Amino acid sequence: MGITKTEIFTDQQNQVATFAKAFGHPARVAILQHLFKIKACICGDLVDEIGLAQPTISQHLKELKNLGLIKGSIEGTSICYCIHTENWAAMKAVVSEFLNQDLENKSNCC
């Protein structure tokens, strides 16, 4: 498999692709939905909520944190995670602009 040449794409194209990765696995979608539902930080009880093993949950949390959609803070022996509201808003703006292209370019093609 070839190397992805992200430098040949625009910043917006790279951002949309990066954010789309967050929604590329149902576990990450479930984690984000749960964080929004509880409206608070979560400290370790995702295994029962999501139904996956702790190492799997940890990997998905790490991915969401690397994407900047959640943030974590250390509290005692555990890490608590919550939605990174500023980055979430930025992601919504980027993805909305991408998804709303059809509204700007109404054509009679095909």
Side-chain angles (χ1 to χ4, degrees):
M1 199 152 63
I3 297 173
T4 304
K5 296 183 177 182
T6 57
E7 68 274 358
I8 67 170
F9 301 104
T10 67
D11 286 343
Q12 184 199 31
Q13 290 166 335
N14 283 309
Q15 284 180 320
V16 169
T18 298
F19 291 136
K21 186 176 182 180
F23 306 113
H25 195 286
R28 290 193 286 272
V29 173
I31 290 168
L32 290 167
Q33 286 177 319
H34 184 67
L35 288 171
F36 276 113
K37 183 174 117 183
I38 63 169
K39 299 178 184 164
C41 289
I42 192 159
C43 302
D45 59 344
L46 277 172
V47 171
D48 293 332
E49 183 65 33
I50 306 297
L52 297 173
Q54 183 60 52
T56 304
I57 295 287
S58 294
Q59 184 61 37
H60 289 299
L61 287 168
K62 180 181 174 186
E63 188 66 39
L64 289 168
K65 189 171 184 207
N66 288 343
L67 293 170
L69 297 180
I70 64 172
K71 56 185 174 181
S73 60
I74 298 172
E75 291 189 15
T77 59
S78 56
I79 301 176
C80 298
Y81 292 98
C82 59
I83 298 292
H84 193 303
T85 54
E86 295 84 9
N87 289 354
W88 184 264
M91 181 272 306
K92 283 175 53 178
V94 169
V95 173
S96 291
E97 183 180 344
F98 173 73
L99 293 175
N100 289 334
Q101 292 178 89
D102 63 326
L103 302 176
E104 298 167 6
N105 298 323
K106 296 199 183 244
S107 69
N108 293 328
C109 180
C110 307

